[in-house]
Amino acid sequence: MADKNLILTPHNAVFSRNGDFPSLLLREKISAHLSLEKHYPRVYLRRAFPAEEPTKYISVAGKDEKEIGMIPDIAMFPEFQRNILKNELNHRYFMPKINRIDKIQDRFGHTIFQVKTDIGPLQFTIRDVYRNLLRLSDGRIILTDADGNRYEITDPKKLDQKSYKLIELYI
């Protein structure tokens, strides 16, 4: 039933919760009077463009990691379903927002950041900060630590003066 090029819309896809996980009821219209339905009790969501388009081009895969289809934009779904999709994506792409930088220290080819984030104080290490600091066209900065975790500076110019001076060396 599922086709790799299937576009998932509110007309053919209904997302719900199955315990802690999103599930999908996929409907395929065969004729004016006949429809097929397939239930996926657990689906996995992946962003095609995680930084640039966080709510668009969302790949939906089944438990076998095989793609079921693509959501062009989660905004097209009703609020209840949209919230399920957003919560799952936010869980998968957890990215604390850096509000203040307390200290940046270079040691043996690694850069150690001590920061305050929207979830509290954190310390993380980045290997080769110039390769793991991404400046986006909208001004945001994404930092990727040695373990692959991501951190966001929404607008470096809105940081306090000390924080901006610390990060300015790398941007």
Side-chain angles (χ1 to χ4, degrees):
M1 179 175 178
D3 176 356
K4 245 190 173 180
N5 298 318
L6 183 63
I7 302 299
L8 302 175
T9 69
H11 301 292
N12 66 358
V14 177
F15 292 92
S16 60
R17 279 244 167 262
N18 182 9
D20 291 333
F21 305 108
S23 64
L24 169 65
L25 178 63
L26 188 61
R27 297 183 178 130
E28 184 177 9
K29 193 170 187 173
I30 303 300
S31 68
H33 304 291
L34 182 63
S35 294
L36 289 177
E37 291 185 350
K38 177 149 187 191
H39 183 253
Y40 295 87
R42 171 71 164 110
V43 292
Y44 299 88
L45 307 177
R46 291 192 179 79
R47 292 175 170 144
F49 305 103
E52 298 85 3
E53 297 287 356
T55 63
K56 295 181 179 180
Y57 312 110
I58 308 299
S59 172
V60 179
K63 68 179 181 180
D64 57 359
E65 301 289 325
K66 190 173 183 180
E67 187 174 72
I68 298 164
M70 179 74 72
I71 300 171
D73 189 345
I74 64 173
M76 67 174 49
F77 284 88
E79 184 177 2
F80 176 74
Q81 293 181 58
R82 194 169 51 243
N83 288 337
I84 291 170
L85 297 169
K86 281 182 182 178
N87 288 339
E88 182 67 14
L89 289 167
N90 288 340
H91 178 72
R92 184 183 233 339
Y93 293 92
F94 179 65
M95 185 169 24
K97 293 185 183 358
I98 296 173
N99 300 321
R100 186 175 84 211
I101 302 170
D102 294 325
K103 187 176 182 182
I104 299 177
Q105 186 176 21
D106 289 314
R107 284 196 150 167
F108 309 110
H110 293 80
T111 306
I112 302 164
F113 282 76
Q114 290 180 356
V115 299
K116 296 284 188 293
T117 70
D118 58 343
I119 62 165
L122 292 173
Q123 179 175 308
F124 56 90
T125 302
I126 297 179
R127 284 187 221 124
D128 192 357
V129 73
Y130 297 103
R131 287 189 182 187
N132 289 295
L133 182 146
L134 176 64
R135 290 189 72 174
L136 301 174
S137 59
D138 62 3
R140 290 182 297 148
I141 294 175
I142 308 295
L143 299 162
T144 305
D145 73 10
D147 296 322
N149 300 309
R150 293 186 177 107
Y151 307 87
E152 178 181 358
I153 300 173
T154 307
D155 185 351
K157 292 179 182 170
K158 289 186 178 176
L159 292 171
D160 62 88
Q161 189 176 4
K162 177 188 173 198
S163 298
Y164 185 77
K165 284 188 183 272
L166 288 170
I167 196 67
E168 185 179 35
L169 297 171
Y170 301 98
I171 58 176

